[in-house]
Amino acid sequence: MSTRFVIGAALAAIAFATPAAAHDPGDVVTPHFAQQIPNIPGKTLTALVVDYPPGGASVPHTHAKSSFIFAYVLSGEIQSKVNDGETQTYRAGESWFEPPASSHLVSRNASQTKPARLLAVFVADSDEKELTTPIK
């Protein structure tokens, strides 16, 4: 078993456990990929898929201080509000980014009748313990 596989598996487990805690029951967060970036020492790229049921939403949360996030809507429509920006609706094929240490105040399925799916790609310090923390 390679070190690369072990590190990737460990990071996927951390990524899965961390964002799931910031979502309401019924949302499904699935790790898709986690790998240290070889030409950027100390950084890891982590990809997660977030499935929102009809009317589903994430609780307001912050992201790791080092994390730059690219979000891409795979299907449906997602409403998102980052920091003090306006709430925006993104449709399948549209994307946005979140700068390091962002507060994600709104992240929800825009539809009450159809599911939605989001790909979230994090670039963060490899030693970050939590990628997502609920706002209390």
Side-chain angles (χ1 to χ4, degrees):
M1 192 176 304
S2 75
T3 302
R4 190 170 157 178
F5 175 80
V6 171
I7 291 170
L11 290 171
I14 291 167
F16 178 71
T18 301
H23 292 79
D24 290 336
D27 292 349
V28 177
V29 178
T30 306
H32 187 69
F33 179 87
Q35 181 65 51
Q36 287 188 334
I37 303 172
N39 60 338
I40 309 176
K43 295 290 184 181
T44 296
L45 183 135
T46 304
L48 308 166
V49 175
V50 181
D51 286 293
Y52 291 100
S58 300
V59 298
H61 55 275
T62 59
H63 292 293
K65 291 181 181 180
S66 71
S67 67
F68 177 88
I69 302 164
F70 168 75
Y72 180 83
V73 180
L74 297 168
S75 62
E77 296 182 359
I78 304 282
Q79 290 181 327
S80 180
K81 176 182 172 67
V82 177
N83 297 325
D84 57 357
E86 293 187 27
T87 300
Q88 296 190 25
T89 300
Y90 298 93
R91 291 163 183 72
E94 296 181 332
S95 61
W96 71 93
F97 77 94
E98 299 178 28
S102 291
S103 293
H104 203 162
L105 304 174
V106 174
S107 184
R108 65 180 168 234
N109 186 342
S111 174
Q112 296 295 316
T113 60
K114 298 177 185 174
R117 178 175 254 197
L118 172 72
L119 172 67
V121 179
F122 291 70
V123 175
D125 289 348
S126 298
D127 62 356
E128 282 283 1
K129 300 280 188 249
E130 296 185 35
L131 295 177
T132 304
T133 304
I135 296 173
K136 297 177 183 184

